[in-house]
Amino acid sequence: MNQLSSETSPYLLQHANNPVHWKAWHPKSLTEAVANNKLIIISIGYSACHWCHVMEHETFEDEQAAASMNAHFINIKVDREERPDVDAVYMKAIQIMTGRGGWPLNVVALPDGRPVWGGTYFRKDEWINTLEQLQQLYQSAPEKMIDYAEKLHGGIESLNFIETKDFNTASQSPLLENLVQKWRKSFDLEFGGMARAPKFMMPNNYKFLLRYAYQNNDSELLDFVNLTLTKMAYGGLFDTIGGGFSRYSVDMKWHVPHFEKMLYDNGQLVSLYADAFKLTKNPLYKKVVEKTLAFIERELTNSEGAFYCALDADSLNDQNHLEEGAFYVWKKENLQELLKDDFPLFAEVFNINDFGFWEDGNYVLIQNQPLENIAKNYGITIEKLQSKKQTWEQLLFAERQKRSYPRLDDKCLTSWNAIMLKGFVKAHSAFENKKYLEIALKNAHFIVQKLWSPEGNLYHNYKNEKATINGYLEDYCFVIDSFIALYEITFDEKWLQNAKQLTDYCFEHFYDENAALFSFTSNLDDALITKHYETEDNVIPASNSVMADNLLRLALYFSNSYYENTAEKMLRKIIPNIDYPSAFSNWLNVLLHVSPQNCELAICGKDALQFAEKLYLEYHPNVIFAGSTAKSSLPFLQDRFKEKKTEFYFCQHKTCQLPSENFDKIVKKIGDLLEK
């Protein structure tokens, strides 16, 4: 029988009425496979995945396919967002077997869980035929499958081995320069991003490139990053009407997205655009942040201050059938009827023409020129055009609300909540909007109160007022990162103490001294077929790279040499092995922390926060901030507070200059770092 109706995952519940006898990933399911000597089908996806829905409809809802699966296999459905550990292990297997990966991810494994075959999307007939062949082979010559499983398992295990090479983190400039030069060859100089399709946004790529361009006075690279951020904001990838970004675009010009909206993308992009605004003061970037956070607050936030996971790509169309993008696209006739005399100008702004046409009479709104150019061509002021654009968007938003809404994935993941929390912190620092800080603090208190157990561990998932699943390294690293960000913006040391407590827990339950890395899963969890050390930065930075960043910051605040030495060991292990920089961009960002251009600034005194807020309005990725408005026991701030004055302590690599009360002098010192 199908057992998914008792689960809370929206993705698993979508499959609860399939004729397939699905089980959730659970020790009992695996034990049953061994006891009955049955092969296992492990099918992994997530609620907002379009092709997961297609395969469900074509195959898993089909009686013939279900009969074949039920007769000979233990069938396990996995929500990759709930179980990223399971997904990571079997994704490695698929990539070894096929050279590519993606979702849905479908694997056939031996009863002990070792994979023997797999791929991504399969049509029904191919799926049934392959399953029958695998079952026959397992009955007639199981030794062949076992032999293959052993070899594949060895290949998966080998991916965990990273050769340690000699590397001095202080001599980083030539290495970084060479990697960035190599990277430039992949740039799309017309639409930004990488010169390929589909196009993923990869926020940590542009976080590093923005910082590298800034610290090296590389105007050409900075222009490329701004081109990318502008074209992403102009594209259909960004929902200019309702706010928020979709996961990726299927084309080269950021036009037609895969329409699902994921919390982790939007959290990272808010941080990125807020930083870019600090550097450029581009009003487009501010508008992107404001619209995105309005979307998050309106549609992905619950009453407890927690953030939901995602909106589906699919929604019901006019014929009441699920269709990708149905909620977001427009017919020309519909737009003409709504906008009336304004339609020609609207069509110029949003390309209701060949450039903006998608398919089946549908248009996805996209800009390809600044409003200033259009205003000039039409003989109107830029202020009037901006006002019209805002009116149009409000009109279309109201019209769109009449449509069937995309399905909501209403589970709350700890790691993704922390990423979004930091986005609100970054937006507050850039725009001095107190509401953003209030939302960030409410979410932080939710994490502490609902997702952090009295035993010291974080939970990964929250749904129906219940926290479940022991946390993964990604939960710890992003919560620590967000708590450090909260400290920097509030100087409330409880957030640093919380970060340190979680870090110490990670050393106890995740750190592998021999590997010099943190395992993705806790040593308290049931072991999978292999350990997983997440080291490659993808659409979300690798948990180990985020931990290395956290350790360097916390080492400074707490004068903790063990944290610092561990982070440097991690860097020395990863950096010399980097071949393609886009997959290690957050590691490269961490490496910049030990550059000669980095500094630490402590601000101590009753006016410390006011001075810090002035500094936060500008882009200072090479400065680690600390401060206090009262006496502090934090090692970095020990004995630095004086009752009647506010002083600045400018430090580099554990060496501090004499304190100064001159704010302008400190600002100049920070600026002078870029001249080195």
Side-chain angles (χ1 to χ4, degrees), residues 507-519:
F507 274 107
E508 184 176 353
H509 294 289
F510 291 87
Y511 189 60
D512 186 328
E513 193 80 43
N514 293 325
L517 293 167
F518 292 84
S519 172

Side-chain angles (χ1 to χ4, degrees), residues 8-10 47 79 81-82 263 299-310 408-418 420 443 446-447 450-451 458-469 474-475:
T8 59
S9 157
S47 69
D79 182 338
E81 295 167 357
E82 280 194 344
L263 183 69
E299 300 178 34
L300 291 185
T301 305
N302 72 12
S303 59
E304 296 177 278
F307 305 123
Y308 296 133
C309 272
L408 171 69
D409 187 325
D410 63 347
K411 67 179 182 292
C412 304
L413 297 180
T414 302
S415 53
W416 296 9
N417 268 251
M420 192 70 248
N443 184 257
F446 164 78
I447 291 173
K450 299 297 179 69
L451 297 173
L458 291 173
Y459 290 104
H460 177 63
N461 183 54
Y462 185 84
K463 175 83 183 286
N464 297 337
E465 300 185 355
K466 185 179 179 181
T468 57
I469 306 176
E474 69 171 41
D475 299 303

